[in-house]
Each structure stands twice: as structure tokens, then as C-alpha cells.
């Protein structure tokens, strides 16, 4: 008896094709599993070259046949320098690579993690919790993109003093434009940042009401190659700037919409200049009076002066101010008035 009669049967042929497909899919999955492990180690090596101490344990892979999924446990990111110390710890991070999206890697962030930052005599330490968080990385470093979405992030600080910082949502969407050359006139990064309904009443009484902020941005000049003070200083000294497009900020009845340009000063503080349209400035002044930052007398005078120079918005009919907005010497200024202090970027120094 030969196999020829069996091979003429459609069922046997279909079974053979299915077995071949299953074998090919299993081979692809095993190769993807090995590739994911190599990628994780390569990324860890790149961070270590920048002076980070990064530790994690790779768990067993699952998700066959359409995805490779693994857990990183005991995750620690640590950076020590002569003037600062940064540590982030998490029990588990989930990493997923899908055969349906071969150019993307999805990282599901942990619901709970620990964060500490020490700079000189100042120390920030606390517990970060979130309802859900995902980080999607697509493509290679040059020309790739990053998308971070975090729902209900809450930071419970124990130091420098107990306080809670909470938001409804944080999203960051960035695209590397694959343009390099140390030319400050070349755009290298583009995207946007949005923070929805952020509150921190123990930090500032103004933030007892939800703050919402969104901004589109374009980074000019080669982006810093590390999250360190020297890397950002090199970017700044090379003429690097950030172009801010359609910056929208709302807090209570106060609303600001503007655009401008931002860089860093010698103390690593934001340095910015632009123009803004402001609505609800009467409500804003009333809020400043209510929290004790402005006296009733000064607030009444400010309302009279600002109302005199304001124009009526053609769409809403509300009084609207068109004023310069600047950040300099560690302060945010609206016209000539200082509003809130702006601290330096909390960047670690190299070890």
C-alpha cells in the first residue's frame, strides 16, 4: 500500500497544510521570543551605559500563537550622581509583542510602584498608583514613536511632607523625526502632552480645583541623549529650543490659550516667551484672593485695570486679555505680574 491514495483525500491535504502552518507559526513565535529577550537586554545595556543601575528578572513567555508576553519582576531603576539620587521600583511590569504589530512593543505599567528623588538636601519620596498605564514603543529609535497613557495616576508623597497629587489622565505622544546633525534649526521630535483634571491641594491651595493642561510641541536641535544635566546642558548650549503650539490651560473659571518658545537657563530652569489669550481673569483674581495670595485691595484694583484693557471675545462675549507670557528667573509671568514659581528640572547628575 502506498501513500498516494491518502494524499488524494482533501482532508489529509488540509491536515498537512495545517500542520505545516502550525509548525511555521511555532517557529516564528520561538524566534520572536528570543528576539524580545535580546531587545530587553540591549535596552538595559543602553541604560547602563548612561550610568543607570537597572535590574529585573525575565519571567516565562506566554501568549502563543499571536503574541509574546512576559513579566519583568523585581524591577529597579537607580541613578546616583554627586548631587542627586533617583530610584524607581516596581514588583512587576508586563511586556507584550504582537505578531499583528511587529514594529511595536507594549509595556503595561504596574498599578503600584515606589519613587524617590534626592537632590542635595532635598528629598522626594512616595508611592505611585494608577488604574491603568500603557507605554507603546513603535519602530526603531530614529524615526520611531512613543505613546504613554496613564489613567488615574496618584502620587502619595511621604517626603518632603505628606501630600497627594492626583490626575484623571496623563498622556504623552512623541514622534522621532529621524533628523540629526547638531543644527538647532532642525526639528528632531514632535508630539504633544496632556494632563487632565490634576489636583494637589496640599501642594498649593490653587490646585484644590482641577487643572487641565494640553500642549503640542516640536523640539529643535538634537534631542538630549540621556536624562542628565550635562546632556540637557549640551542641547541648550547648542541652541536647542522647544516650540509650544496651542498651549491650553484651564483652572476653575480661568482659561489660557497661547504659544511660544521654551529652553533652559543656566540653572536648568525653564526659560520661555510667548503670547496668550486669557479668559476668566476676574474669576482667577477672586481665587487668588480666596487663597490669600492677593489682598482684597490689590485684587479689586487688578480687576478694574484688567477689565479696562480687555476686549470682548467675539465667540463667547467674555472679557479677554491678549498678553505676553514669560518664564524667567524661576517665575511664570503673565504680562508684568509674577504668578507662580517654576523650579529647575529634576535631572540627575552623572555619577
Amino acid at each position: 500500500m502506498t501513500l498516494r491514495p491518502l494524499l488524494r483525500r482533501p482532508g489529509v491535504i488540509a491536515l498537512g497544510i495545517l500542520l505545516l502552518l502550525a509548525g511555521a507559526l511555532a517557529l516564528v513565535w520561538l524566534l520572536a521570543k528570543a528576539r524580545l529577550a535580546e531587545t530587553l537586554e540591549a535596552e538595559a545595556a543602553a541604560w547602563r551605559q548612561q550610568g543607570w543601575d537597572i535590574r529585573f528578572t525575565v519571567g516565562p513567555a506566554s501568549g502563543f500563537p499571536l503574541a509574546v508576553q512576559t513579566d519583568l519582576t523585581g524591577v529597579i531603576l537607580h541613578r546616583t550622581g554627586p548631587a542627586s539620587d533617583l530610584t524607581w521600583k516596581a514588583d512587576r511590569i508586563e511586556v507584550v509583542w504582537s505578531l499583528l504589530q511587529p514594529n511595536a512593543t507594549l509595556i503595561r505599567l504596574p498599578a503600584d510602584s515606589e519613587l524617590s528623588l534626592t537632590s542635595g538636601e532635598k528629598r522626594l519620596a512616595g508611592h505611585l498608583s494608577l488604574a491603568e498605564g500603557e507605554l507603546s514603543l513603535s519602530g526603531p529609535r530614529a524615526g520611531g514613536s512613543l505613546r504613554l497613557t496613564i489613567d488615574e495616576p496618584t502620587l502619595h508623597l511621604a517626603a518632603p511632607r505628606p501630600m497627594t497629587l492626583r490626575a484623571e489622565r496623563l498622556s504623552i505622544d512623541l514622534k522621532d523625526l529621524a533628523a540629526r546633525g547638531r543644527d538647532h534649526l532642525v526639528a528632531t521630535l514632535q508630539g504633544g502632552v496632556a494632563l487632565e483634571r490634576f489636583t494637589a491641594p496640599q501642594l498649593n491651595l490653587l490646585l484644590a480645583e482641577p487643572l487641565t493642561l494640553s500642549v503640542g510641541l516640536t523640539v529643535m536641535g538634537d534631542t538630549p541623549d540621556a536624562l542628565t544635566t550635562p546632556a540637557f546642558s549640551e542641547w541648550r548650549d547648542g541652541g536647542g529650543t522647544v516650540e509650544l503650539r496651542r498651549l491650553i490651560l484651564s483652572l476653575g473659571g480661568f482659561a489660557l490659550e497661547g504659544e511660544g518658545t521654551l529652553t533652559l537657563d543656566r540653572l536648568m530652569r525653564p526659560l520661555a516667551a510667548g503670547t496668550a489669550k486669557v479668559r476668566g481673569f476676574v474669576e482667577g483674581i477672586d481665587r487668588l484672593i480666596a487663597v490669600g495670595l492677593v489682598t482684597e485691595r490689590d485684587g479689586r484694583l487688578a480687576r478694574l485695570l484688567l477689565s479696562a484693557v480687555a476686549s470682548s471675545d467675539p465667540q463667547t462675549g467674555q472679557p479677554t486679555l491678549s498678553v505676553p507670557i514669560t518664564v524667567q528667573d524661576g517665575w511664570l509671568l503673565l504680562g508684568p505680574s509674577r504668578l507662580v514659581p517654576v523650579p529647575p528640572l529634576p535631572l540627575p547628575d552623572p555619577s
Side-chain angles (χ1 to χ4, degrees), residues 167-244:
E168 194 171 281
R169 188 179 179 90
L170 169 65
S171 59
I172 301 174
D173 195 347
L174 300 174
K175 169 70 175 177
D176 189 303
L177 301 179
R180 296 293 183 269
R182 298 294 174 187
D183 187 345
H184 68 279
L185 299 178
V186 175
T188 55
L189 196 68
Q190 196 169 59
V193 179
L195 179 65
E196 300 178 22
R197 299 186 64 79
F198 171 77
T199 57
Q202 296 113 329
L203 178 65
N204 191 308
L205 288 175
L206 284 175
L207 295 175
E209 294 188 57
L211 177 147
T212 294
L213 171 69
S214 66
V215 61
L217 55 88
T218 300
V219 178
M220 309 298 292
D222 279 2
T223 53
D225 55 8
L227 292 174
T228 62
T229 297
F232 275 75
S233 298
E234 182 181 359
W235 168 77
R236 175 201 62 206
D237 295 341
T241 58
V242 179
E243 295 183 355
L244 305 176

Side-chain angles (χ1 to χ4, degrees), residues 197-198 206-212 249-256 279-280 283-284 287 318:
R197 299 186 64 79
F198 171 77
L206 284 175
L207 295 175
E209 294 188 57
L211 177 147
T212 294
L249 182 149
S250 63
L251 178 65
F254 176 85
L256 178 150
R279 294 181 295 275
E283 292 87 341
R287 182 61 183 163
Q318 285 185 306

